Amino acid sequence: MEHYSISTYEIIEALGTIAFAISGTFTAMQRKLDPFGVLIIAFVTAIGGGTVRDLLIGDTPVAWMRDMQTCLIILFTALATMFFKTHVQKMKITLFLFDSLGLGLFTILGLAKGISLGLNPGICIALGTITGCFGGIIRDTLLNTIPLVFKREIYATACIMGGMFYFLLLEINVGTVIAKFLAIAFIFVMRIIAVKFKLSLPKFEY
Amino acid sequence: MEHYSISTYEIIEALGTIAFAISGTFTAMQRKLDPFGVLIIAFVTAIGGGTVRDLLIGDTPVAWMRDMQTCLIILFTALATMFFKTHVQKMKITLFLFDSLGLGLFTILGLAKGISLGLNPGICIALGTITGCFGGIIRDTLLNTIPLVFKREIYATACIMGGMFYFLLLEINVGTVIAKFLAIAFIFVMRIIAVKFKLSLPKFEY
Amino acid sequence: MEHYSISTYEIIEALGTIAFAISGTFTAMQRKLDPFGVLIIAFVTAIGGGTVRDLLIGDTPVAWMRDMQTCLIILFTALATMFFKTHVQKMKITLFLFDSLGLGLFTILGLAKGISLGLNPGICIALGTITGCFGGIIRDTLLNTIPLVFKREIYATACIMGGMFYFLLLEINVGTVIAKFLAIAFIFVMRIIAVKFKLSLPKFEY
């Protein structure tokens, strides 16, 4: 008898993928792409970060190619978002929460992959940040705008600080599982606070 | 005695490379790049799709680095297009046919590489579509426009449907060689019909 | 007792990294990114070329991930440039010299990596040019402009000619070390002459 169990971890990862796919779908629809273009952008937003991470460390074929699960989740999410767009738009807060959760999870996931390769902590944090942020960066580049990440309220900054927080927790001998959970929560909460209070890094003025 | 034979396959691949290089050269000349910029764009358009494919599956050094043939074909094509631009522009229909043939061939080539790695059929179709379309996507991104592929008449859609058609043919026990030939022809004809009748997927309106 | 020696080579490489990081920082500040965005662009400009090179040849984890040195140099350079921006701007000529030196060094470094893999000379020159130029290309693409490299005075052209010059030197039995030194100097001087006399390839007119 085959045993198939879905871990909390996998559920959160799927929710993060869904949130990123929705964000890609909406951005692409606003730029009036045809449905196929929308699908591609949804796809790229959801898998871009993990793909760049896997390429940089040489872990190929990259993650989304290993099974159909991620592709099917993105396909279904993008189609559903296109068909029920008015309804989905009303769920703005829910979406933002998923997106923040996805950001936290993807970041810590990427960071953990760096640790398992024996990379330097600073490099692991960079790898985590890349995993969390590059989907959005590629989306915006393909859509011909300066990536939002470079201008938005504390976003990548939350990833970097969350990564530092994770290593700090390990340093004081908190177990790996709890440290991961707390670091993901840290990024999640930091994003919510940043958006709620419209916090952003100061821009350069000339 | 060394034996060197050129297969039909290699000839069609070269024709596809030439067509993609010409399309890159024209697009870059219209944006008033200097000749070196034009060369780079011609190069990127012709090898972009295969390069992204090889990176994703970890087949490195990527295909065009293994011998000089592809580079020389692109170099020669780009230079010839720059010098004889008025003449080449008159061959619009011939170019379009080469481009469509190249699209079909590159797609099925990428798909076959996925199969040989034991990847899931859905992933193989994605890999084929990436091989066919990413040259144009990188070209347009570097030239600072929203990739044409996301907006144009049935283009990537033809790749995806051609890929599905290929697996359907395998399913009904058509041999690999014939299935490849038919799937390439399918994409080729679908592009011609789409352009002739100005078919395109509906865009999103707000 | 640990022995740690810094070679001339490493010093020049560090100077090149610094120059590229400064150029990225300035370009990003002019586009009014927030400090984190500026950091990312500084980073991408400095490591982009080497990263693309390592991805294409499959040498992963890519160079900058192997230790913290490169990251720390870029971080420190970008922060210092942001804080002392008026002062740094006055050093325009010094910066240009570093940038030209970096271009020469990165190009010959990439080329040498190609040779050590037994790649074809033409491919090695392409790899060197990619190493020298892709940092700037990715920087400009992310900042949503047509890459300067495609339009500027003799830039990538200097890399290609420097690469050819290197193989010519090897052909006439100049030793590797001297050939490298001369080829780097060639690119360095060619850039200076091109900028001083405002040389550039002719653009296409319609």
Side-chain angles (χ1 to χ4, degrees):
Chain A
M1 209 180 111
E2 203 185 359
H3 180 70
Y4 190 71
S5 82
I6 300 173
S7 63
T8 318
Y9 173 93
E10 282 176 296
I11 291 172
I12 301 178
E13 194 188 7
L15 290 179
T17 302
I18 290 170
F20 280 10
I22 292 175
S23 116
T25 307
F26 272 118
T27 318
M29 285 197 296
Q30 278 162 359
R31 305 299 295 268
K32 300 196 183 308
L33 301 196
D34 72 27
F36 175 76
V38 173
L39 259 182
I40 290 266
I41 296 293
F43 201 79
V44 159
T45 309
I47 56 99
T51 300
V52 172
R53 177 200 62 211
D54 288 347
L55 291 179
L56 290 175
I57 59 176
D59 185 11
T60 52
V62 300
W64 62 266
M65 304 190 90
R66 285 176 212 146
D67 57 57
M68 279 302 284
Q69 198 178 291
T70 310
C71 288
L72 289 177
I73 290 176
I74 297 169
L75 182 67
F76 183 80
T77 304
L79 292 177
T81 307
M82 288 190 239
F83 283 111
F84 304 108
K85 61 175 188 253
T86 337
H87 192 71
V88 176
Q89 257 167 336
K90 280 183 197 139
M91 299 166 61
K92 249 184 170 173
I93 292 173
T94 316
L95 286 179
F96 166 69
L97 293 179
F98 277 163
D99 185 85
S100 303
L101 200 58
L103 185 71
L105 185 105
F106 283 174
T107 302
I108 299 306
L109 227 162
L111 187 149
K113 225 168 169 176
I115 292 176
S116 73
L117 286 170
L119 299 175
N120 188 299
I123 302 295
C124 293
I125 293 174
L127 203 58
T129 307
I130 286 170
T131 312
C133 299
F134 254 76
I137 291 177
I138 300 177
R139 175 198 63 208
D140 294 342
T141 302
L142 288 180
L143 291 176
N144 198 23
T145 54
I146 294 188
L148 218 57
V149 176
F150 298 163
K151 298 184 145 182
R152 196 153 45 163
E153 322 89 1
I154 312 296
Y155 194 87
T157 314
C159 302
I160 294 174
M161 295 186 69
M164 287 172 162
F165 183 59
Y166 180 73
F167 280 108
L168 188 81
L169 290 172
L170 292 190
E171 207 61 45
I172 57 170
N173 287 317
V174 175
T176 320
V177 177
I178 297 174
K180 273 184 188 165
F181 178 81
L182 289 176
I184 293 170
F186 180 95
I187 296 171
F188 180 63
V189 171
M190 192 165 167
R191 271 295 291 155
I192 292 173
I193 292 174
V195 168
K196 187 150 182 79
F197 297 100
K198 294 191 200 302
L199 297 180
S200 65
L201 299 177
K203 285 190 195 86
F204 287 96
E205 295 297 336
Y206 287 94
Chain B
M1 210 180 110
E2 203 185 357
H3 180 73
Y4 190 70
S5 81
I6 300 172
S7 63
T8 319
Y9 174 92
E10 282 176 295
I11 291 173
I12 300 178
E13 194 187 9
L15 290 179
T17 303
I18 290 172
F20 280 10
I22 293 175
S23 115
T25 306
F26 272 119
T27 319
M29 285 197 296
Q30 279 163 358
R31 305 300 294 265
K32 299 197 184 304
L33 301 196
D34 73 27
F36 175 77
V38 172
L39 260 182
I40 290 267
I41 296 293
F43 201 80
V44 159
T45 309
I47 55 101
T51 301
V52 172
R53 175 201 63 210
D54 288 347
L55 291 179
L56 291 175
I57 60 176
D59 185 10
T60 54
V62 298
W64 61 267
M65 306 190 88
R66 284 174 213 147
D67 57 58
M68 279 301 284
Q69 198 179 294
T70 310
C71 288
L72 289 177
I73 289 176
I74 297 169
L75 182 67
F76 183 79
T77 305
L79 292 177
T81 307
M82 288 190 239
F83 283 112
F84 304 107
K85 60 176 188 252
T86 337
H87 192 71
V88 176
Q89 257 167 335
K90 281 183 196 139
M91 300 164 62
K92 250 184 169 173
I93 292 173
T94 316
L95 286 179
F96 166 69
L97 293 180
F98 277 163
D99 186 86
S100 303
L101 199 57
L103 185 72
L105 186 105
F106 284 173
T107 302
I108 299 307
L109 228 161
L111 186 150
K113 225 170 168 173
I115 292 176
S116 74
L117 285 169
L119 299 176
N120 189 299
I123 303 295
C124 294
I125 293 174
L127 202 59
T129 306
I130 286 169
T131 311
C133 299
F134 254 76
I137 291 178
I138 300 177
R139 175 197 64 207
D140 294 342
T141 302
L142 288 179
L143 291 175
N144 199 24
T145 54
I146 295 188
L148 219 57
V149 177
F150 298 163
K151 297 184 147 183
R152 196 153 44 163
E153 322 88 1
I154 312 295
Y155 195 87
T157 313
C159 302
I160 295 174
M161 293 186 68
M164 287 172 161
F165 183 58
Y166 180 73
F167 279 109
L168 189 80
L169 291 171
L170 292 190
E171 207 61 45
I172 58 170
N173 288 316
V174 176
T176 320
V177 178
I178 296 173
K180 274 185 187 163
F181 178 81
L182 290 177
I184 293 169
F186 179 95
I187 296 171
F188 179 64
V189 170
M190 194 166 166
R191 272 295 290 155
I192 292 172
I193 292 173
V195 168
K196 188 150 181 77
F197 298 100
K198 294 191 200 305
L199 297 181
S200 65
L201 299 178
K203 286 191 194 83
F204 287 95
E205 295 297 336
Y206 285 94
Chain C
M1 210 180 111
E2 204 185 357
H3 179 72
Y4 191 70
S5 81
I6 300 172
S7 64
T8 318
Y9 173 93
E10 281 176 297
I11 291 173
I12 301 178
E13 194 186 9
L15 290 179
T17 303
I18 291 171
F20 280 10
I22 293 176
S23 115
T25 307
F26 273 120
T27 319
M29 284 197 296
Q30 279 163 359
R31 305 299 294 265
K32 300 197 183 307
L33 301 196
D34 73 28
F36 174 78
V38 173
L39 260 182
I40 291 266
I41 296 294
F43 201 80
V44 159
T45 310
I47 55 100
T51 301
V52 172
R53 176 201 62 210
D54 289 347
L55 291 179
L56 290 175
I57 59 176
D59 185 11
T60 53
V62 299
W64 63 266
M65 305 191 89
R66 285 174 212 148
D67 57 57
M68 278 303 283
Q69 197 178 292
T70 310
C71 287
L72 289 177
I73 289 176
I74 297 169
L75 182 66
F76 183 80
T77 304
L79 291 177
T81 307
M82 288 191 238
F83 282 112
F84 304 108
K85 62 173 187 257
T86 337
H87 192 71
V88 176
Q89 257 168 336
K90 282 183 196 139
M91 299 165 62
K92 248 185 172 174
I93 292 173
T94 316
L95 286 179
F96 166 68
L97 293 180
F98 277 164
D99 185 85
S100 303
L101 200 57
L103 185 71
L105 187 104
F106 283 174
T107 302
I108 300 305
L109 230 161
L111 186 150
K113 227 170 168 176
I115 292 176
S116 73
L117 285 170
L119 298 176
N120 189 298
I123 303 294
C124 294
I125 293 174
L127 202 59
T129 306
I130 286 170
T131 312
C133 299
F134 254 75
I137 291 177
I138 300 177
R139 176 198 64 209
D140 294 342
T141 302
L142 288 179
L143 291 175
N144 199 23
T145 54
I146 293 188
L148 220 56
V149 177
F150 298 162
K151 297 183 148 184
R152 198 155 40 164
E153 320 88 4
I154 311 295
Y155 194 88
T157 314
C159 303
I160 294 174
M161 293 186 68
M164 286 172 163
F165 183 58
Y166 179 73
F167 279 109
L168 188 79
L169 291 172
L170 291 190
E171 207 62 44
I172 58 171
N173 287 316
V174 175
T176 320
V177 177
I178 297 174
K180 273 184 187 164
F181 178 81
L182 290 176
I184 293 170
F186 180 95
I187 296 171
F188 180 63
V189 170
M190 193 165 166
R191 272 295 290 155
I192 293 173
I193 292 173
V195 169
K196 189 150 180 75
F197 297 100
K198 293 191 199 305
L199 298 179
S200 65
L201 299 178
K203 285 190 196 85
F204 287 95
E205 295 297 335
Y206 284 95

